[in-house]
Structure formats: structure tokens, C-alpha cells
Amino acid sequence: MPSSMDGRLSDVFGAPVVDLYVMVASPDTSTALIRALELRSFLALAEEQVARVRNGVHRAMDPRRDMDELSASDLHMDAQWLEAALEARDGYLTALDRLLRTMPPPSERARPVRLAHPAVSTTLPLAAPAPQRAGAARAHRS
């Protein structure tokens, strides 16, 4: 199912969303791409919920419907559901936007990270041998 951020994800990662999901199967996939697609999946679900509630309210409020079928209780429940779905959507949009804004530019993402490994030039002193009974369990005295 599509999400409102699909175009931006395609722009940032340089491939259509469908291809990005295929790329995640690769063992060298970036953590940023994995997280972005996880957030995108949650966003798409929240947006589907918003659309479902909106469509249900539209059906309930259709002017051709009998007014005796209207239920304030049902509409109140729909309003609560819509509020929850919109809050979830806003949260996922914010998190995904923050992730995409903090990512390094594509030119920097392609370079492998090299860690400096300092050479150890000292040797450890020889350890004294352990006493013969070291680590042996003590006998219980009565």
C-alpha cells in the first residue's frame, strides 16, 4: 500500500520504494534504509486507517441516507479513532522526516567506514602460577 512519503524515500535513496524493499534483503543494507522502510510501513498503515475512518464517516453522513440511521455514538467513536490514527500518522511522519534529514548525503553514504586499529606494542607480564588448590571447593564442616 502506498504512503505519502514514497516519493521522498525514492528521491533520498535513489530507487522506487518497491526496489528499496528488495535492497533490504541484502546483508550490507544500511541501518538508515531499514529504519526508513519500517517507519514507512507503519506510516502506510496509519494512513490506511485514516482513510478508512474518513470514508466511513462520509458513508454515514451521505445526504441520501435515512436520518434515523444516524448515530451520535458511532460518530463519536469514529472521531476518537480518527484522532488516534492521525496522531499515529503525525508521529511516523515526524520520525521518518527526522531520519531522512539527519542522514549523510548520498556521496558520503557510499564510502565504507575505516576504523583505525592502533598497534599494541607492550607485552603482558607473565602471570605467577596459581596455587595447587586454587579454585578447589572447600569441604563443609559440621
Side-chain angles (χ1 to χ4, degrees), residues 8-15 20 23 28-37 96-114:
R8 185 155 174 223
L9 285 167
S10 293
D11 291 345
V12 168
F13 290 103
L20 295 176
M23 291 168 54
D28 59 340
T29 302
S30 74
T31 303
L33 176 58
I34 293 169
R35 288 184 180 158
L37 291 179
L96 188 52
D97 181 60
R98 192 172 294 143
L99 174 71
L100 296 177
R101 280 189 289 119
T102 59
M103 287 177 44
S107 60
E108 292 180 26
R109 276 185 256 144
R111 292 186 293 185
V113 175
R114 289 208 168 130

Side-chain angles (χ1 to χ4, degrees), residues 3-4 8-9 22 28 30 34 45 52 58 96 117 120 123 140:
S3 87
S4 60
R8 185 155 174 223
L9 285 167
V22 172
D28 59 340
S30 74
I34 293 169
L45 180 61
R52 272 188 192 174
H58 284 194
L96 188 52
H117 295 286
V120 177
T123 58
H140 291 329

Side-chain angles (χ1 to χ4, degrees), residues 1-2 12 15 24 31 34 56-57 93-94 99 112 116 118 124:
M1 77 189 81
V12 168
V24 169
T31 303
I34 293 169
V57 169
L93 279 171
T94 300
L99 174 71
L124 296 175

Side-chain angles (χ1 to χ4, degrees), residues 75-93:
L75 289 173
H76 180 69
M77 182 61 78
D78 287 340
Q80 289 177 330
W81 185 15
L82 182 61
E83 183 177 5
L86 286 171
E87 284 179 17
R89 179 182 183 268
D90 290 346
Y92 295 131
L93 279 171

